[in-house]
Amino acid sequence: MSEERSLNFIEEIIENDLNSGKYETLITRFPPEPNGYLHIGHAKAICLNFGLTKKYGGYTNLRFDDTNPVTEKTEYVDSQQADIKWLGFQWKNELYTSDYFDTLYDFAVTLIEKGLAYVDHGSAEEIAELKGTPTEPGKDSPYRLRSIQENLDLFSQMKNGDFEDGACILRAKIDMASVNMLMRDPIIYRIKHAEHHRTGNKWCIYPMYDFAHGQSDSIETITHSICTLEYVAHRELYDWFIEKLEIFPSKQYEFARLNLSYTVMSKRKLLQLVNEGIVSGWDDPRMPTISGLRRRGYTPESIREFCERIGIAKRENLIELSLLEFCVREHLNKTATRVMAVLDPIKLVITNYPEGKDEILIGENNPEAEDKGGTREIPFSNELWIEREDFMEEPAKKWFRLAPGATVRLKHAYIVKCEDFKKDADGQVTEIYCTYIPESKSGEDTSGINVKGTIHWVSSKHAKSAEIRTYDRLFTVESPDSEEGDFKDYINAESMNVIEKAYIEPYLVNADKDSRYQFIRKGYYCVDKDATPDHLVFNRTVSLKDAWAKSNK
RNA sequence: UGCCCGAUAGUAUAAAGGUAGUACAACGGUUUUUGGUACCGUUUGUCUAGGUUCGAAUCCUGGUCGGGCAACCA
């Protein structure tokens, strides 16, 4: 199917470059800053960069863009690597911008020697003041005319730790009147007496993004440096440094980042949700992080498929969450083992089934799998738990489930007829009484009876209990970012619902932490990391589509 | 009121001057021992005004709308 898909604009550029002989090998990179966990937006970039070299040959480097020691941590490096691998991609080289600090320093010296960089002792405020605005040109700094030798000495002193943080900076000397703010003598090195997660205290000056990224690309001979739209304006600077430094000309291309409805995607905001305890952590199943989606039960296949379907273009977009949900349902439908679980139990007694009798029924594990996924044993008895919502005292029109006098099929078991029910003082139905039809047993039905509805159940005597966590969108509005006020004003208070005690088939006591299950008629679920042998915990990944619920809205 | 990027069904994304297509969503139906799945069908679109052309979503010009650009962040 991918061979039928038309090319996106980046693929077109690459095919042209390859066909024209401009490059023999495609080299891309994925360059996260290790200051947070990766999210579904990064997955789009990962699938793009790694997918391109998978498709056209060549390779992709993983490069941690670690030029700001204050926000970066090894914890993030580790989680990011784990997430990329989990998504199914393998980088060629594991690299760090900090590996290039010596080279980058030399590049800066080269620039100074060429008269293209100078040390500025202005304060942050003074420099901002002289920078101008998008509509007004900036003014030259009083330090702009320093001699090359003076700049060389000063920069060396910066490196040696002779200055406090913020005392001065190194700037490229370009054009304070440029219409592009980034070309108005951008800062390329600043002083930060901070310990770096990899270089420790070796450095007290660190390059800025613009003076690190393009050069790192160049050092690695990245042919196509793909980034998001907010870097469009940086491209001019990117090219300028490469030109002045006379190094390998990597080229930058920009695509539109992913926005997903009912969530936020900025690392700053996600960090806030974590730090303020609004979610349980970066891997909270409601988070759009890779680790959150993984814990929620999403599969790498479904995320890759999602990234394939959303496409690559340059226009701002807001992808509907329903597409992500479609992708995971599509994959899980083919792969998940079907089991029965009753989330909101009500007792059903089969009055003509011998009390104390047990029967082992056989259920296929997955009707969608070629081999039906094998089978499992399901114990049956005269007392069952069924879903409260599957019984209606006064049935609605087109109601196919249980109601007084109605018949339904118990999945994998018998047809039963509702004869009576009992209510408590509050009018709550407490028990339902049915008779079963012995010759209607699943697979050997000779009753000739046809029923409209099939419901799931669990034998009460054999049932095990489990905690089940049901999730909903984290925000109440499609685009919390574009809403008035603080994005946290739009947190969905009902984004997580915990069912302390649901009943599950005994088969599930051995539930595999890495497997996903379909709770028949309910949704797809996986075992949460909080589960213990004594206390099973399941997360709902996504519900099944529910035409009945929809038609009754 | 400067510069840059963008604008195709509800949401995304194709169509490289020649039939506006695909997916998700929505709606209707068939099948079904999951009101699931599968399958079939329906609705909905080229921001606008000019121009070039036999012919424009596509090229040109103006406008409108959306996004970006003034961190010692990336």
Side-chain angles (χ1 to χ4, degrees):
Chain A
M1 93 184 233
S2 61
E3 58 262 32
E4 288 185 17
R5 203 201 74 216
S6 51
L7 303 180
N8 62 50
F9 77 98
I10 293 177
E11 290 170 323
E12 281 181 14
I13 290 166
I14 288 172
E15 290 201 359
N16 284 337
D17 288 347
L18 257 21
N19 292 338
S20 72
K22 183 173 177 185
Y23 302 112
E24 273 178 25
T25 307
L26 175 64
I27 307 175
T28 62
R29 101 270 91 117
F30 176 63
E33 182 188 11
N35 69 344
Y37 279 60
L38 264 21
H39 54 62
I40 183 81
H42 292 110
K44 178 180 182 181
I46 291 167
C47 290
L48 213 212
N49 278 297
F50 285 91
L52 251 12
T53 53
K54 198 169 252 183
K55 177 173 179 180
Y56 293 107
Y59 60 85
T60 302
N61 287 339
L62 170 60
R63 183 173 71 237
F64 291 98
D65 213 342
D66 54 352
T67 58
N68 185 0
V70 217
T71 55
E72 295 153 6
K73 287 199 264 179
T74 304
E75 175 199 347
Y76 297 133
V77 169
D78 296 340
S79 76
Q80 293 181 352
Q81 293 197 25
D83 288 346
I84 297 165
K85 282 187 187 164
W86 178 78
L87 271 178
F89 297 105
Q90 184 55 56
W91 49 89
K92 169 90 167 185
N93 303 298
E94 175 188 330
L95 302 165
Y96 296 80
T97 301
S98 54
D99 293 338
Y100 310 136
F101 280 172
D102 286 298
T103 309
L104 260 12
Y105 180 83
D106 292 342
F107 282 159
V109 170
T110 299
L111 234 39
I112 296 172
E113 286 169 342
K114 289 189 171 189
L116 294 173
Y118 61 98
V119 173
D120 193 322
H121 273 76
S123 68
E125 296 70 35
E126 287 161 353
I127 288 171
E129 186 69 27
L130 292 174
K131 194 123 191 175
T133 70
T135 53
E136 299 164 286
K139 297 190 184 71
D140 286 0
S141 160
Y143 303 97
R144 203 171 198 261
L145 273 2
R146 290 221 252 227
S147 72
I148 288 173
Q149 192 53 54
E150 187 182 7
N151 283 318
L152 250 14
D153 293 342
L154 255 11
F155 187 49
S156 168
Q157 287 169 40
M158 280 172 65
K159 178 194 182 190
N160 294 336
D162 296 345
F163 300 115
E164 296 299 306
D165 286 8
C168 56
I169 50 163
L170 183 70
R171 306 176 73 170
K173 190 191 282 189
I174 307 180
D175 176 11
M176 288 308 289
S178 172
V179 70
N180 183 348
M181 298 286 293
L182 289 158
M183 300 300 278
R184 321 239 263 229
D185 290 9
I187 296 169
I188 59 181
Y189 260 95
R190 77 288 213 191
I191 301 169
K192 273 181 196 282
H193 290 270
E195 184 169 319
H196 186 278
H197 72 111
R198 297 192 84 236
T199 60
N201 293 305
K202 178 180 176 192
W203 296 90
C204 61
I205 57 171
Y206 294 92
M208 298 286 288
Y209 167 85
D210 286 305
F211 197 69
H213 204 99
Q215 289 90 319
S216 300
D217 286 341
S218 180
I219 291 166
E220 296 170 26
T221 65
I222 300 300
T223 56
H224 301 260
S225 177
I226 302 166
C227 61
T228 46
L229 251 29
E230 63 268 32
Y231 292 99
V232 169
H234 293 251
R235 190 174 60 233
E236 189 179 358
L237 225 203
Y238 183 105
D239 291 338
W240 189 89
F241 284 130
I242 283 176
E243 184 199 323
K244 300 303 178 195
L245 261 11
E246 301 174 67
I247 53 181
F248 180 84
S250 295
K251 290 290 177 191
Q252 173 183 302
Y253 301 93
E254 312 87 11
F255 71 99
R257 70 180 334 137
L258 164 68
N259 294 297
L260 188 60
S261 63
Y262 299 104
T263 192
V264 292
M265 211 69 93
S266 93
K267 274 195 270 187
R268 200 196 97 241
K269 288 175 180 164
L270 294 175
L271 180 63
Q272 215 175 326
L273 294 175
V274 172
N275 285 344
E276 297 179 18
I278 293 166
V279 296
S280 65
W282 285 101
D283 70 345
D284 186 297
R286 294 165 293 180
M287 291 281 271
T289 51
I290 308 290
S291 51
L293 291 165
R294 175 167 61 231
R295 187 171 171 193
R296 175 82 170 252
Y298 274 77
T299 59
E301 291 89 337
S302 62
I303 294 173
R304 278 189 254 126
E305 176 65 17
F306 172 74
C307 291
E308 184 68 29
R309 283 174 181 257
I310 57 179
I312 301 293
K314 297 189 77 158
R315 74 186 81 125
E316 293 288 330
N317 59 80
L318 179 63
I319 308 286
E320 292 178 343
L321 185 60
S322 59
L323 182 60
L324 218 209
E325 294 182 336
F326 167 83
C327 291
V328 73
R329 283 195 189 104
E330 182 186 47
H331 185 226
L332 260 17
N333 175 53
K334 292 186 191 123
T335 54
T337 296
R338 269 63 166 172
V339 294
M340 294 194 285
V342 176
L343 275 35
D344 183 14
I346 182 170
K347 188 157 282 184
L348 182 150
V349 179
I350 303 174
T351 53
N352 62 339
Y353 192 90
E355 204 174 326
K357 178 183 172 183
D358 288 356
E359 200 174 338
I360 297 296
L361 304 173
I362 303 299
E364 66 185 13
N365 287 333
N366 186 348
E368 302 298 321
E370 290 105 68
D371 61 347
K372 304 297 177 198
T375 57
R376 69 185 186 288
E377 298 186 338
I378 310 165
F380 182 80
S381 67
N382 72 318
E383 248 190 49
L384 315 174
W385 293 114
I386 66 162
E387 213 70 65
R388 180 169 293 277
E389 64 172 16
D390 285 339
F391 176 80
M392 243 184 146
E393 190 180 339
E394 290 169 33
K397 51 206 171 320
K398 287 186 143 183
W399 177 258
F400 300 158
R401 311 178 197 175
L402 267 186
T407 52
V408 295
R409 156 81 57 187
L410 294 171
K411 179 76 180 172
H412 298 310
Y414 301 91
I415 292 173
V416 293
K417 180 178 184 189
C418 175
E419 309 285 359
D420 199 7
F421 62 96
K422 192 165 39 174
K423 288 207 247 184
D424 64 15
D426 303 328
Q428 264 263 78
V429 176
T430 53
E431 280 190 13
I432 297 167
Y433 303 98
C434 291
T435 51
Y436 87 114
I437 295 157
E439 55 275 20
S440 67
K441 185 172 177 177
S442 201
E444 44 198 80
D445 187 345
T446 56
S447 71
I449 299 171
N450 269 320
V451 291
K452 277 279 184 72
T454 300
I455 65 172
H456 60 279
W457 53 274
V458 178
S459 165
S460 62
K461 192 196 319 182
H462 304 91
K464 306 292 176 193
S465 56
E467 176 182 329
I468 294 181
R469 299 175 183 171
T470 305
Y471 304 98
D472 197 358
R473 48 189 61 153
L474 228 199
F475 291 89
T476 55
V477 292
E478 268 204 320
S479 181
D481 291 320
S482 29
E483 218 66 40
E484 303 236 333
D486 189 44
F487 76 104
K488 285 177 294 175
D489 296 344
Y490 302 93
I491 296 272
N492 177 9
E494 272 113 58
S495 61
M496 177 172 171
N497 176 261
V498 178
I499 297 169
E500 302 286 353
K501 190 170 183 181
Y503 292 110
I504 58 175
E505 286 184 37
Y507 173 81
L508 273 178
V509 292
N510 298 316
D512 185 344
K513 286 222 172 195
D514 294 320
S515 329
R516 279 84 171 184
Y517 298 91
Q518 183 196 99
F519 290 1
I520 290 179
R521 302 209 303 134
K522 298 309 290 183
Y524 294 100
Y525 294 78
C526 67
V527 178
D528 187 76
K529 69 174 189 184
D530 288 346
T532 65
D534 301 333
H535 183 70
L536 277 168
V537 181
F538 289 91
N539 291 321
R540 186 178 77 181
T541 306
V542 67
S543 69
L544 249 32
K545 283 213 274 187
D546 189 345
W548 171 252
K550 193 184 280 181
S551 70
N552 282 279
K553 262 203 300 143

